[in-house]
Amino acid sequence: MKQQNSKKYKEHTSKRRKTSNIVYLTTLLLAFEAIGLSLIIFPRSTVSITEKRELKTFPELTADSYFSGDFTKQVSEWFSDTVPFRDELTNISTAIREIRGFRQDGIRLHNVGTLPSTSDESSSSSTSTSSSESSSSSSSSTSSSSSSTTGSESTHESSSSTSEQKKDDPEIQDHLNITNNGIAVVGDRALMMYGGSFAVSERYAKVMNKYKQAMPNVNVYSMIIPTSCEFYSPASLAGYHASELDNINHVNSFLQGVTPVDAYSALAAHTSEDIYLRTDHHWAPLGAYYAAQAFAKTAGVPFLDISEYDREVVHNYVGTMYGYTEDIVLKNNPEDFVYYVPKTVEYTTTYYEYELSGGKIVGGRPAFNGNFFVRYGDGNGMAYCTFMGGDSQIVKVKTNAGTGRRLAILKDSYGNALPGYLFGSFDEIIVIDMRYFTHNVVDFLTDNGTTDILFANNSFHAATASTVTYYETFLTQQDWGYWIVKEWEDSSETAE
Amino acid sequence: MVFSDLFFLYIFIPAVAICYALARCGDHARLKAAANGNAPRYANANLCPYSNAVLIVFSLIFYAWGEPIYIFLMIASVVMNYIVGLFIGRKKQTSKPALIVGLVLNIGIIAVFKYADFLVDTLNLTGLGIPKPNIALPIGISFFTFQSISYIIDVYRGEVKAQRNFFSLLLYISMFPQLIAGPIVRYSTISEEINKRTINFNDIAEGSFRFLIGLGKKVILANQLSEISSKFLDGNLAAVTTGGAWLGIIAYTLQIYFDFSGYSDMAIGMGRCFGFHFDENFKHPYIARTITDFWRRWHISLGSFFRDYVYIPLGGNRKHQPLNILIVWFMTGLWHGASWNFVLWGLYFGAIIMLEKYTILKVKDKIPAVFLHLYSIFVIVFGWVIFYFDDFSRLGEFIPILFGGGKAGGWDAVVQGELTGNLWLLIAAIICCLPIAKIFSYLYNKSESRESAGQEAVLTGLKTLCSVALLVVSTFLLIGSTTNPFLYLRF
């Protein structure tokens, strides 16, 4: 009897198990197919707005690429890199990853205090004191590190690639500078931990001194722009970044004939306002307004009050820091990108754009007139490019200020936010990016009748050796031949 | 190709699954035809030639995907072992010489392709200045060579018959689930299933579930844990605090377990779906009470390989046991990598196991379990320190940090941030080291003597939910991430 019962029970359970298995497998297969088919059917992504890069392309099949294993490797990478709706799906994956713990005091550190520093001499932004130690550490890392942040991935990749490439590609150089010392997300604000040392200060000051010596009749100013880390980093993180103020003062102590502009105090007085972007590595246009005001005062030129500008807003802005950290808090807390367009002054803007290939200048496009301010739509992560649309160009703005002063701004991307506030102060403003300039700077500015030169760089670049190299090269280089000065004047006239 | 890759999951697996299902239908039709007498009876006993052909083709594609050139080495190795196997199986007179030739060739292959550079480096320490051959390590060579060795020895010992069908042997060695990172499947384990196997819904369901568990272990746990470990172990060690050093190495301890056992789970699961039953490779190693116990639970297929093919033939515990232990653990260490730190790691465990024989094992029943666990965990974690740093200068720098001798102090905001920022992950990982399924079924069966229909439905629902969640979450985490190779692909 007992045996019969047991047999019946076994038959029952085996039937039940079969049904259960079928239910289980059907559900699983449906889920698997749903994901699998959507990965194949929908169009593949080609760019990532979040990471601001073009995604991988399908590799070319050659005998070499096949037998070296590159082809198959790249096919796998292409498939994974270009999944449909990549940015949206990455956002979900970032949100899932956030569940792995909690933020004590609202802080999450992204490679702060732990990133192997690079041994590249051109980027000094590291608190590490021993470069030999750190270079050995990065070379000995053999584990399968799965870096979470794309920003740091690019840093890792670039640190393992040739240093040649690093020096050549300004984009990579920039990434190194920004992420070298890690990023702390404090509340809903991302702070790049400043790791600048005094190593480059003297050289940075001296290169500006050389400009003054080469053009004794021109006023030369140095504005080193502090970053948000200096004002918003909590005490608990004090050990993980250096003092930007100390570095600025150190540079200033070496200036000879060059007038320092105290942007630091101008910004420090307004930290309760939105003077820095929370989700981007740049300052906010309002911060640039206060710094420009300080500069105008130092230079002794008139300055338009903010009431003489139209206030424009790009809503739902999430900047570069999300791409670097993939920190979901930044994504979930977009900000307003507010900028100011002068309404009481007349000006024309002429662009001399460079043609680039792989980050290098390969040609110059014909000059054209355009808007100084480029309007971006709500939610566009590129909104900081509002000013002149980017960096790879020389921009000349003619105004009706009537002060008889002609300014040249030599700058990094922080400097882009400044000229818009100086249209009422100078008759002409030439904007030169430190990475893109093909003329001999002395000839160029002398021919142009420049009366004032403003170096406007953030404190990361002021502590970076490659910045000095760029500016030194401008002094010594022969004209590359794009827009010879005559042509420059002609096209500029035509443009007006 | 690695298992935790979108291309593998969503292109390779569907392709192999569809072809395999069709091939199984072909095999069935062929058998039916043979049974009806409409087709000639086949002399060999291979009842699944079509499905075997599909598995071989896909296995070769799988291997060629990562090693387009070394695939010829792998095939050549199979050809060699096939011939050696036939010679061993043929006559008594030829068997011993054939075995010796086979062993020399197999060990020769692994010596040249895995250890040549290491050997030259070591010899050069004496100032010889021999140029380095710079031979790239073929993926999975340690695994497929060991499987081959086990095959020819088993044939020699008469435990299995030599495989007369070359393709059946090729399938045994090259079968993609276990080809490149184990487990080291013994020929005897699957020799019958190669030519005759059944697959039912239960196999596929169990196999898929096992595969997904492995995928989750790798993608959800190991990959996230690797971010913690690499932060503290790969960077400038001068800046690492004592807390950071411990957090880093504990994260690595968890990472390597989930990475490797996840791979084994995926291999066992896929094997099951194809109708093969591989032996277990891990049995919750971190719950071990002694190191002897740990090595019965960690990478079981490797431990049993050395036990059966090295330790026992050397004399086991019958004669010069300490020497045998020393040899086995030297080889176990060296198998893990061509670097002295792995040898040190192996000898470290050998020494502890030897010590345990005369100490803890004799009194372990009298010691509270909690102390035994703490002792084992400490020894294991410290073992991973030796295992991690193949650069002795960094190893020498790291060990003092663990015991408070670092320059950066004991604790800092970075450790605090990493700890709280990954707290749930760490807790989940520690829980997943426990035999959850056993605990669950123990608790479940305690209340009811038999499973009712309702319980079965609940269990199926839970299992389904869990599987779909593992698949979906793993897929999301794989999107946009670069390929994360399994740690054991290095070995």
Side-chain angles (χ1 to χ4, degrees), chain A residues 134-279:
Chain A
S134 52
S135 68
S136 77
S137 73
S138 53
S139 63
S140 73
S141 87
T142 48
S143 88
S144 68
S145 149
S146 61
S147 297
S148 61
T149 68
T150 46
S152 72
E153 261 166 27
S154 69
T155 315
H156 281 301
E157 275 165 21
S158 56
S159 63
S160 62
S161 62
T162 60
S163 58
E164 257 332 284
Q165 188 194 347
K166 257 185 279 176
K167 278 170 194 156
D168 285 353
D169 190 338
E171 283 295 317
I172 290 176
Q173 187 63 54
D174 246 10
H175 288 197
L176 280 172
N177 290 332
I178 291 161
T179 59
N180 246 9
N181 218 29
I183 296 167
V185 174
V186 179
D188 55 5
R189 183 187 292 277
L191 306 171
M192 302 168 287
M193 296 285 106
Y194 178 72
S197 66
F198 287 171
V200 184
S201 309
E202 189 173 352
R203 287 176 59 198
Y204 183 70
K206 281 188 173 165
V207 76
M208 293 189 285
N209 294 346
K210 280 186 195 166
Y211 275 66
K212 179 67 186 172
Q213 284 155 17
M215 293 170 276
N217 298 326
V218 174
N219 305 312
V220 181
Y221 307 92
S222 162
M223 177 198 286
I224 299 177
I225 304 158
T227 67
S228 57
C229 165
E230 186 73 3
F231 302 117
Y232 300 101
S233 174
S236 63
L237 298 182
Y240 301 99
H241 60 89
S243 159
E244 298 183 36
L245 179 62
D246 286 354
N247 219 312
I248 293 169
N249 288 337
H250 197 65
V251 173
N252 290 348
S253 70
F254 293 107
L255 294 178
Q256 284 176 347
V258 177
T259 315
V261 176
D262 187 7
Y264 191 97
S265 306
L267 288 161
H270 296 276
T271 49
S272 59
E273 298 168 45
D274 291 331
I275 54 171
Y276 286 93
L277 295 169
R278 288 188 291 101
T279 64

Side-chain angles (χ1 to χ4, degrees), chain B residues 313-393:
Chain B
L314 283 174
N317 48 13
R318 284 173 288 113
K319 47 183 180 180
H320 44 73
Q321 190 189 15
L323 179 70
N324 299 344
I325 291 181
L326 184 78
I327 294 172
V328 163
W329 286 99
F330 180 90
M331 290 171 81
T332 304
L334 195 61
W335 179 90
H336 280 83
S339 171
W340 283 109
N341 72 306
F342 293 117
V343 175
L344 182 66
W345 176 76
L347 293 175
Y348 162 84
F349 277 114
I352 288 170
I353 285 172
M354 201 131 68
L355 267 179
E356 281 191 349
K357 273 190 194 304
Y358 302 111
T359 53
I360 291 181
L361 292 188
K362 291 192 170 162
V363 292
K364 77 172 168 80
D365 295 335
K366 292 173 194 156
I367 304 172
V370 62
F371 291 118
L372 289 172
H373 283 303
L374 285 174
Y375 148 77
S376 299
I377 286 293
F378 176 79
V379 172
I380 294 164
V381 172
F382 193 77
W384 292 129
V385 175
I386 304 172
F387 187 89
Y388 191 85
F389 293 102
D390 46 17
D391 175 343
F392 276 103
S393 66

